[in-house]
Amino acid sequence: MEGGLSSFWGPVTAAEWCEKNYVYSSYIAEFFNTISNVPCILLALIGLINALRQRFEKRFSVLHVSNMILAIGSMLYHATLQHMQQQGDETPMVWEMLLYFYILYSPDWHYRSTMPTFLFLYGVGFAMAHALLRFGIGFKVHYVILCLLCIPRMYKYYIYTEDASAKRLAKLYVATLFLGSICWLADRLFCKEISGWYFNPQGHALWHVLMGFNSYFANTFLMFCRAQQREWDPKVVHFLGFFPYVKIQKPKSQ
């Protein structure tokens, strides 16, 4: 949306959201959509520290790093509203979903080298195609399909998990996804009406914050499930009584 200050980055070449551009700075196009990624980075950093400190498998460290890369890409996109930066936001979204797919399905995959090889080649192929083409609605459909492919496995993990605290993580994952989707859709579909309000609720910025928590809850739940598979005696504990993380006890032989 058009704003007041001049643009450091030049004309807008990427998709815009329901926030006035360059209101607070000539260097930041969508201010709230940019800074709302900071919680995502912090939550991913907390998850990364926990994964490294307890020596979880490297896949979880890579997952947390990918969450941070995605949030940084989103910041650059919303700060500049340039097409190249938008691609730098969207491509890591697909890479991240491929990583989730690997973490969810690899434990039961008999040919261990085939899945990571295929997913890697798929990710590289998508990045190259996305750099050359403007997918538009095709990107959104593709991303939703990747998300839907992960749901059956997440549900299986949920029904086979007996720990009440771990199940609560899964429920928080679903709740933040639901609320975030409502915010995203409202910001996208009802921008004209919202723009006439005295106060803009910044639905897309709320989506960023909720997705930061959504990723953290999903990652923590998956870490718990994987620790159960490895017989590491996982427990969901809460820092300061409310912030959940997984604590494990590996056998001495490991």
Side-chain angles (χ1 to χ4, degrees):
M1 294 173 61
E2 293 184 2
L5 299 178
S6 61
S7 164
F8 175 81
W9 305 105
V12 172
T13 60
E16 297 180 86
W17 299 86
C18 197
E19 180 181 355
K20 290 184 178 180
N21 300 341
Y22 300 105
V23 173
Y24 300 98
S25 171
S26 297
Y27 300 97
I28 302 177
E30 296 177 339
F31 181 78
F32 292 105
N33 287 346
T34 300
I35 65 170
S36 57
N37 284 286
V38 173
C40 310
I41 297 173
L42 295 177
L43 288 166
L45 180 60
I46 292 171
L48 176 62
I49 292 172
N50 187 42
L52 292 173
R53 184 174 61 86
Q54 300 195 80
R55 295 187 292 114
F56 271 88
E57 293 165 302
K58 291 181 180 179
R59 65 187 69 181
F60 290 105
S61 298
V62 174
L63 180 60
H64 291 299
V65 170
S66 75
N67 293 155
M68 286 190 277
I69 291 173
L70 176 56
I72 293 170
S74 180
M75 291 182 73
L76 293 173
Y77 160 41
H78 289 289
T80 63
L81 289 181
Q82 298 298 299
H83 176 63
M84 182 179 294
Q85 280 72 25
Q86 181 177 351
Q87 290 178 317
D89 172 38
E90 293 175 345
T91 299
M93 290 173 64
V94 171
W95 290 347
E96 183 183 65
M97 291 312 304
L98 295 176
L99 186 55
Y100 277 118
F101 190 89
Y102 172 74
I103 290 173
L104 285 165
Y105 287 97
S106 63
D108 293 334
W109 195 263
H110 297 295
Y111 306 100
R112 293 190 176 183
S113 63
T114 57
M115 179 181 285
T117 300
F118 170 77
L119 294 177
F120 174 78
L121 293 175
Y122 188 96
V124 171
F126 173 83
M128 294 174 63
H130 197 38
L132 299 173
L133 305 171
R134 285 178 177 262
F135 287 131
I137 188 65
F139 166 79
K140 297 179 178 65
V141 173
H142 175 246
Y143 183 73
V144 169
I145 290 173
L146 291 177
C147 294
L148 292 175
L149 288 173
C150 292
I151 289 177
R153 191 67 171 187
M154 284 289 284
Y155 181 68
K156 180 181 179 180
Y157 279 11
Y158 175 80
I159 61 176
Y160 279 94
T161 299
E162 297 181 356
D163 186 271
S165 295
K167 280 184 173 289
R168 191 176 301 116
L169 288 173
K171 292 175 182 177
L172 288 170
Y173 160 77
V174 174
T176 50
L177 179 61
F178 177 74
L179 292 174
S181 299
I182 291 176
C183 293
W184 189 95
L185 289 169
D187 187 87
R188 201 63 178 160
L189 300 178
F190 303 108
C191 182
K192 184 177 180 181
E193 292 78 5
I194 292 173
S195 299
W197 295 359
Y198 176 75
F199 172 74
N200 185 338
Q202 304 297 341
H204 197 74
L206 290 174
W207 153 265
H208 286 159
V209 174
L210 287 167
M211 287 304 99
F213 281 98
N214 176 265
S215 296
Y216 181 81
F217 293 140
N219 297 355
T220 306
F221 176 70
L222 291 175
M223 290 169 73
F224 179 91
C225 294
R226 183 57 176 166
Q228 272 194 326
Q229 293 172 348
R230 300 296 302 270
E231 299 181 348
W232 289 345
D233 189 25
K235 292 180 177 61
V236 177
V237 295
H238 295 81
F239 179 67
L240 298 178
F242 71 93
F243 193 80
Y245 67 96
V246 176
K247 186 175 182 179
I248 59 174
Q249 183 64 49
K250 290 184 178 182
K252 291 184 179 181
S253 59
Q254 300 184 37

